Amino acid sequence: KAGVTQTPRYLIKTRGQQVTLSCSPISGHRSVSWYQQTPGQGLQFLFEYFSETQRNKGNFPGRFSGRQFSNSRSEMNVSTLELGDSALYLCASSLAGSNEQYFGPGTRLTVT
Amino acid sequence: GQQLNQSPQSMFIQEGEDVSMNCTSSSIFNTWLWYKQDPGEGPVLLIALYKAGELTSNGRLTAQFGTTRKDSFLNISASIPSDVGIYFCAGNAGGTSYGKLTFGQGTILTVHP
């Protein structure tokens, strides 16, 4: 069974731009969670989607948003990028009702 | 908010030694998980724990769900060079904490051959 895939793997953007990251979960997994990983703050929860609905959200500004499609694939969007948004963005998928999350390789975003 | 304190922050050991690390929380968790992350990759799930007092093994790895539900422990026996990496504990509080894992700061493990 294929693992979680994320595209692109690397991205360089300029301050003020917006970016969209994509995540394809493991087949059969309907829950997708997103995390931001930085050296200073570690792994921080962004939000979780299940059946195209956002069920939970972390403490991030409204510039961070996401969505989930009917095939469980998910995207996250960051608008008006700031230098501090430079991070590894990880998505994880899990079966309905399970806390066992399986992570993708991440998208490394650099904001200049 | 919830925080997980993971210790030690780093460990330098000789191949063949055993390793212990732990995680404590200011609040109760219903699920504890342990992950390993290699450079440039996402975390890989090692062990999941669901019940207070539970002891679970995965090869040379053994983890325990603390009886207070506020802590968890990971032991690695007879370490080998490929054990090098960053180990994270993570917890889920249950209830409406859908899909939210709270992570520890990580333990950086270095194994000298």
Side-chain angles (χ1 to χ4, degrees), chain B residues 34-74:
Chain B
W34 286 90
Y35 287 88
K36 176 176 182 264
Q37 186 175 27
D38 293 326
E41 299 295 330
V44 173
L45 180 62
L46 299 173
I47 292 179
L49 302 154
Y50 296 98
K51 204 163 60 170
E54 178 183 355
L55 194 69
T56 298
S57 293
N58 178 7
R60 294 178 295 105
L61 277 61
T62 301
Q64 183 165 24
F65 192 136
T67 54
T68 66
R69 294 169 65 194
K70 291 184 178 182
D71 54 6
S72 181
F73 310 88
L74 176 69

Side-chain angles (χ1 to χ4, degrees), chain B residues 1 8 17 28 33 41 59-60 64 71 86 89 106-107:
Chain B
E17 289 184 353
I28 289 172
L33 306 108
E41 299 295 330
R60 294 178 295 105
Q64 183 165 24
D71 54 6
I86 305 177
C89 61
T107 295

Side-chain angles (χ1 to χ4, degrees), chain A residues 53-70:
Chain A
T53 300
Q54 185 184 91
R55 294 194 301 181
N56 203 359
K57 190 177 188 316
N59 296 322
F60 279 83
R63 300 184 297 107
F64 292 81
S65 63
R67 60 177 175 168
Q68 187 181 35
F69 302 94
S70 58

Side-chain angles (χ1 to χ4, degrees), chain B:
Chain B
Q2 294 169 325
Q3 292 198 358
L4 292 185
N5 293 311
Q6 186 173 348
S7 65
Q9 286 190 315
S10 60
M11 301 184 76
F12 299 85
I13 63 170
Q14 292 293 127
E15 183 177 358
E17 289 184 353
D18 296 344
V19 171
S20 291
M21 58 191 79
N22 68 82
C23 222
T24 58
S25 169
S26 56
S27 53
I28 289 172
F29 283 112
N30 285 353
T31 305
W32 282 95
L33 306 108
W34 286 90
Y35 287 88
K36 176 176 182 264
Q37 186 175 27
D38 293 326
E41 299 295 330
V44 173
L45 180 62
L46 299 173
I47 292 179
L49 302 154
Y50 296 98
K51 204 163 60 170
E54 178 183 355
L55 194 69
T56 298
S57 293
N58 178 7
R60 294 178 295 105
L61 277 61
T62 301
Q64 183 165 24
F65 192 136
T67 54
T68 66
R69 294 169 65 194
K70 291 184 178 182
D71 54 6
S72 181
F73 310 88
L74 176 69
N75 294 311
I76 305 173
S77 63
S79 58
I80 59 178
S82 62
D83 289 335
V84 166
I86 305 177
Y87 291 79
F88 291 97
C89 61
N92 178 274
T96 57
S97 298
Y98 302 113
K100 177 182 178 181
L101 295 181
T102 300
F103 282 83
Q105 307 97 315
T107 295
I108 302 171
L109 179 63
T110 303
V111 180
H112 294 288

Side-chain angles (χ1 to χ4, degrees), chain A residues 29-40:
Chain A
H29 286 194
R30 293 167 61 193
S31 171
V32 174
S33 297
W34 287 88
Y35 296 84
Q36 181 195 66
Q37 185 175 28
T38 59

